[in-house]
Amino acid sequence: MTMLSEIKTFSKPLIANLNKLGIQTVQALLLHLPLRYIDETHLTEVRDLRVGEAAQVEGEIVYAEVSYKPRKVLIARLEDATGQFTLRFLHFYPSQITTLKVGNKLRVYGEVRSGYYGYEMVHPTCKAVGERTFVAETLTPIYPTVAGLTQGALRKAIDIALKQNVLKETLPANIYQKFKLPSFSSSLQALHNPPPHVDLQALENKATPEWQRLAFDELLAQQLSMRKHYARRRSVDAPKFSASKQLVSSLLKTLPFVLTQAQQKVAVEIEFDLRQPHPMQRLLQGDVGSGKTIVACMTALQSIESGWQVALMAPTEILAEQHYQKMLIWLTPLNIQIAWLTGGQSKKDREYAMRDISNGSAQLIVGTHALFQEAVQFKKLGLAIIDEQHRFGVQQRLALRQKGQPEPHQLMMTATPIPRTLSMSYYADLDVSVIDELPPGRTPIVTKLVSDARRDEILQRVRESCAEGHQAYWVCPLIEESEALQLATANDTYVLMQNEFPELKIGLVHGRMKAAEKQSVMAAFSAGDLQLLVATTVIEVGVDVPNASLMVIEHAERMGLSQLHQLRGRVGRGAAKSTCILLYQNKLSETARARLKVIYETNDGFAIAQADLNLRGPGEFLGVRQSGVPMLKIADLNRDVELLEAARAIAEKLLKEYPAEVEQHLDRWMVGASQLVKV
Ligand code: ADP
Ligand code: MG
């Protein structure tokens, strides 16, 4: 790697600014790619301007005026030999008033719009026409930058870097040619200095062969890294489990139901993994209510029967508590010792739990992310089960893995189905099992989209439903910006409901309550002592109260689709016909309506997840902000599916036949250009 300081013409301040952009090396500078481009390669005459197209025009200012009513605006008219049009500035500096004086000759660049006085450009870039203005030979790249580093200085630095010849091709030519992609260095040349005839639209959509080559490289790096990760896992030892299944069959005998075909199928897949000499890393995917918990319990028993401890972890205290209760019911008859560990418990309880975990008397430990903490020492951890895995970060998962020696088996569960492109990319190192059928006897949930203006009818509906002996959830509006506001809203809603329904027993649960309080409210709701539960989205995951058959979600338009689907999955768990009412504030935008339409038109978690991914992108979908999942910068999983498939198809061959190139490729993409992390 060539450091920036090795280039003599780079000044210290320039290097400092580049460092601020995260650029340390010449290689990284070259991989600092344009956000967009502008076409200053030719001038357009005023009569040839077209609405919606960007253009560069040269002419003379024939009118300029700042007006203050109704609001401050600077309006000017630019004229050339063929006509005139308007320049409009809603914010401007005093220097711009000087630039836009009548009589000045200017070159302006901007997008043409149709305005009140004919064509106009809003906030065009303006340059005085002097002796030194010339038409650019290539499209002008616009880079992400920091204050103090101008586009011009950045461009110049990149031009110098391009002449250093520091970029090696990492792929064999026959491989990239096979996919009709250009070489790496010619791609970079063209992206930093695209020739004038290039289709600007294609360039901005990253659809040119050069962008595609870089997207391919990035996807390939991801694939290679995942494969290596997968191979590494196959080379390490796992806890050995014996084949006996005494406990599992005892458990199955006590259940009030029989397993569905789908549950049996995934149980077999898991059992197979547990017999392998290397640790399992399996993702168990199944829509809400498909019955993942019993499968987790069966898996746990196989570990326990072989003398290994099991950690069962859930993302919220409510859910962890519920698992704990369920495990007590299922496993106490089998004489299994269960411990409980969360952040919210008393110091004393915690100490007992820690003691039982470290001396091995606790066979199953249920808890929240408190289980990750360093102080928690397992005697002999053989299996980690992680519920709602998408709620946990990669780092947290790794931390739990390190709690056992040898590396424990891992079973991850999720109710958010993973769209195909994601499972081919971010989840490529995992094995996946799918529970694709719901237990029998469930009546499908009816979903209704109702305007908040009809709130009275909905309240009436809640009243009737509770009078018939059913239970209901009322989900408060989501307020992401402020936890304090969220809390206030939850409390307000609770008071409103108490006034509205003096005859009902009503509970409140939200994220800021003490663990013990939350537990007692949930327990009361579970037991039927409460009829209506006012809740924030803390109940989104996993909560299982079969008698609850009505859910009202306020401000549904603020929530993500997968989130709504999860929430809705809290009802429809028993035999009664269930309804989910999505209340929205008046005047839904077109896009908001389209989003909500997906939810009320389908109960298919897969279709919803795919729509959610399309609408929000993988970052939001995976909850990257919390999870630290490394993101793709150039490739786009919607646009570049073919490249993803190509990269996937070729990764194995490269690893076998070109190991040295693979290392170079990973070095480039895992450190320099992308935020991908080497695993
Ligand atoms: P999820 O997959 O959303 O975690 P759960 O494991 O909570 O779903 O299961 C939902 C409900 O269905 C629970 O009450 C569970 O006991 C019940 N259940 C699980 N498997 C079956 C089955 N095969 N037949 C009937 N009910 C089942
Ligand atoms: Mg669950």
Side-chain angles (χ1 to χ4, degrees):
M1 290 282 170
T2 314
M3 300 308 291
L4 294 172
S5 54
E6 291 173 52
I7 298 199
K8 302 240 160 42
T9 47
F10 281 8
S11 69
K12 283 226 169 77
L14 171 66
I15 293 176
N17 277 326
L18 291 173
N19 289 166
K20 278 189 217 151
L21 286 167
I23 300 170
Q24 317 286 343
T25 65
V26 178
Q27 284 84 349
L29 177 57
L30 288 173
L31 284 168
H32 189 66
L33 293 163
L35 282 174
R36 59 192 174 87
Y37 299 86
I38 55 178
D39 185 357
E40 297 174 320
T41 60
H42 59 272
L43 294 172
T44 304
E45 297 192 314
V46 173
R47 68 167 165 220
D48 293 333
L49 292 178
R50 272 200 250 143
V51 172
E53 285 181 12
Q56 180 173 231
V57 188
E58 202 171 284
E60 188 180 317
I61 298 290
V62 291
Y63 168 89
E65 188 150 308
V66 178
S67 64
Y68 293 89
K69 278 180 193 153
R71 50 184 287 203
K72 198 168 126 183
V73 58
L74 167 59
I75 296 211
R77 299 277 294 172
L78 188 84
E79 184 180 88
D80 73 0
T82 67
Q84 26 169 281
F85 70 105
T86 302
L87 312 177
R88 181 190 297 274
F89 296 84
L90 302 173
H91 356 264
F92 48 91
Y93 297 108
S95 65
Q96 281 171 301
I97 302 179
T98 325
T99 312
L100 290 159
K101 275 232 170 70
V102 171
N104 282 358
K105 288 208 164 57
L106 295 186
R107 181 175 295 172
V108 303
Y109 182 92
E111 193 182 303
V112 181
R113 297 206 209 163
S114 162
Y116 190 71
Y117 302 105
Y119 286 173
E120 65 176 27
M121 288 183 186
V122 180
H123 296 154
T125 51
C126 302
K127 274 186 233 157
V129 178
E131 275 156 33
R132 287 173 57 84
T133 40
F134 51 88
V135 176
E137 279 172 22
T138 65
L139 294 177
T140 312
I142 305 291
Y143 295 96
T145 190
V146 289
L149 183 61
T150 64
Q151 290 291 334
L154 193 49
R155 259 177 240 139
K156 205 165 133 200
I158 289 173
D159 273 340
I160 294 170
L162 279 168
K163 299 201 177 81
Q164 300 300 310
N165 202 16
V166 291
L167 291 177
K168 285 199 201 68
E169 181 60 66
T170 51
L171 299 187
N174 62 338
I175 299 230
Y176 62 80
Q177 282 160 4
K178 180 176 162 193
F179 299 115
K180 303 204 167 51
L181 295 169
S183 75
F184 183 70
S185 64
S186 67
S187 298
L188 275 188
Q189 282 286 355
L191 293 178
H192 287 300
N193 291 309
H197 55 79
V198 151
D199 176 355
L200 193 61
Q201 200 68 41
L203 198 60
E204 303 222 313
N205 292 339
K206 297 196 168 69
T208 60
E210 290 78 17
W211 273 121
Q212 293 281 288
R213 165 66 206 259
L214 294 194
F216 177 75
D217 277 20
E218 189 181 35
L219 290 165
L220 182 63
Q222 190 189 42
Q223 290 296 316
L224 291 169
S225 155
M226 293 290 191
R227 293 270 167 148
K228 287 185 69 166
H229 186 61
Y230 195 82
R232 184 204 65 86
R233 172 153 62 89
R234 309 223 136 205
S235 70
V236 304
D237 289 338
K240 283 201 178 57
F241 292 177
S242 59
S244 157
K245 284 198 302 177
Q246 194 57 49
L247 290 175
V248 173
S249 48
S250 307
L251 171 73
L252 291 179
K253 277 185 210 131
T254 66
L255 291 179
F257 52 78
V258 290
L259 297 180
T260 62
Q261 292 278 324
Q263 285 170 319
Q264 288 174 28
K265 178 197 71 184
V266 304
V268 168
E269 288 166 356
I270 291 168
E271 204 182 310
F272 175 83
D273 282 2
L274 297 177
R275 306 268 171 275
Q276 302 303 307
H278 48 262
M280 164 170 85
Q281 270 190 42
R282 189 167 281 276
L283 182 66
L284 175 57
Q285 205 176 295
D287 213 341
V288 284
S290 61
K292 295 182 290 293
T293 320
I294 186 68
V295 174
C297 185
M298 291 162 63
T299 310
L301 286 179
Q302 296 178 61
S303 177
I304 292 167
E305 189 159 350
S306 296
W308 294 86
Q309 288 173 299
V310 178
L312 167 57
M313 191 174 59
T316 64
E317 299 225 354
I318 291 181
L319 189 53
E321 162 76 15
Q322 197 172 281
H323 281 328
Y324 179 56
Q325 298 300 345
K326 198 146 227 177
M327 295 302 147
L328 285 175
I329 295 169
W330 281 341
L331 300 182
T332 312
L334 302 178
N335 256 328
I336 299 203
Q337 299 305 311
I338 309 175
W340 162 245
L341 194 79
T342 70
Q345 70 195 142
S346 76
K347 201 166 164 233
K348 204 153 163 224
D349 287 346
R350 199 179 161 75
E351 272 163 17
Y352 283 137
M354 302 272 263
R355 187 199 59 200
D356 291 350
I357 297 169
S358 63
N359 70 19
S361 62
Q363 294 164 288
L364 171 64
I365 303 94
V366 184
T368 57
H369 47 263
L371 288 175
F372 293 128
Q373 282 157 18
E374 226 166 283
V376 183
Q377 298 280 344
F378 291 84
K379 172 96 185 292
K380 203 180 168 199
L381 183 65
L383 167 70
I385 302 174
I386 299 165
D387 198 10
E388 307 297 343
Q389 70 83 32
H390 61 285
R391 295 300 206 84
F392 291 100
V394 176
Q395 295 312 325
Q396 291 173 304
R397 252 167 36 209
L398 290 177
L400 196 57
R401 212 162 79 193
Q402 281 149 9
K403 294 250 175 231
Q405 214 18 276
E407 188 175 311
H409 296 286
Q410 260 193 71
L411 179 67
M412 292 155 269
M413 306 197 284
T414 182
T416 304
I418 296 160
R420 198 175 68 99
T421 49
L422 287 188
S423 66
M424 275 165 56
S425 52
Y426 292 100
Y427 291 97
D429 64 324
L430 302 180
D431 297 305
V432 180
S433 290
V434 183
I435 304 184
D436 53 9
E437 97 189 90
L438 293 180
R442 302 267 167 90
T443 39
I445 305 165
V446 177
T447 302
K448 294 190 170 155
L449 191 56
V450 178
S451 159
D452 199 55
R454 290 170 53 202
R455 203 182 170 87
D456 284 348
E457 286 167 49
I458 304 308
L459 290 168
Q460 186 54 28
R461 181 86 191 249
V462 171
R463 184 172 289 121
E464 283 162 12
S465 180
C466 292
E468 283 165 19
H470 298 300
Q471 290 166 281
Y473 295 97
W474 189 284
V475 182
C476 305
L478 177 68
I479 300 177
E480 272 186 333
E481 306 84 275
S482 153
E483 222 181 319
L485 221 54
Q486 177 77 74
L487 189 63
T489 311
N491 285 322
D492 289 351
T493 313
Y494 181 50
V495 172
L496 278 172
M497 291 298 143
Q498 282 176 318
N499 292 337
E500 183 67 37
F501 304 117
E503 76 279 20
L504 294 185
K505 282 175 258 140
I506 306 177
L508 169 67
V509 348
H510 59 71
R512 293 309 301 270
M513 280 162 82
K514 290 229 173 65
E517 283 178 88
K518 266 192 266 185
Q519 280 159 28
S520 72
V521 176
M522 286 314 295
F525 190 63
S526 258
D529 297 339
L530 294 172
Q531 294 157 288
L532 176 64
L533 186 64
V534 176
T536 58
T537 53
V538 294
I539 55 149
E540 159 191 349
V541 289
V543 171
D544 184 29
V545 179
N547 190 44
S549 61
L550 175 63
M551 170 174 282
V552 181
I553 304 176
E554 279 196 83
H555 265 299
E557 75 277 7
R558 290 188 190 165
M559 296 185 195
L561 293 183
S562 294
Q563 189 172 32
L564 284 171
H565 183 58
Q566 294 284 323
L567 276 170
R568 172 171 67 180
R570 301 309 108 219
V571 292
R573 307 199 135 226
K577 184 164 177 274
S578 291
T579 309
C580 174
I581 295 169
L582 308 176
L583 277 183
Y584 64 89
Q585 290 294 301
N586 273 331
K587 286 215 184 130
L588 272 188
S589 71
E590 277 301 306
T591 37
R593 185 170 285 278
R595 264 161 38 85
L596 290 177
K597 204 167 155 203
V598 177
I599 280 287
Y600 76 77
E601 284 188 344
T602 177
N603 259 317
D604 174 353
F606 259 104
I608 291 166
Q610 185 63 52
D612 205 18
L613 176 66
N614 293 346
L615 289 163
R616 293 195 298 163
E620 293 285 327
F621 184 85
L622 291 167
V624 185
R625 294 207 187 103
Q626 308 97 292
S627 71
V629 175
M631 287 326 285
L632 296 161
K633 270 184 158 177
I634 300 171
D636 174 323
L637 292 177
N638 288 327
R639 182 191 62 214
D640 299 325
V641 179
E642 279 176 33
L643 291 176
L644 172 60
E645 275 163 1
R648 200 162 109 106
I650 210 73
E652 200 61 50
K653 179 182 164 77
L654 282 171
L655 280 165
K656 273 209 202 83
E657 296 173 21
Y658 301 94
E661 285 84 349
V662 163
E663 286 314 309
Q664 284 180 1
H665 192 80
L666 285 172
D667 280 345
R668 168 173 297 158
W669 287 96
M670 294 293 150
V671 193
S674 187
Q675 291 162 352
L676 293 175
V677 178
K678 221 168 177 171
V679 272

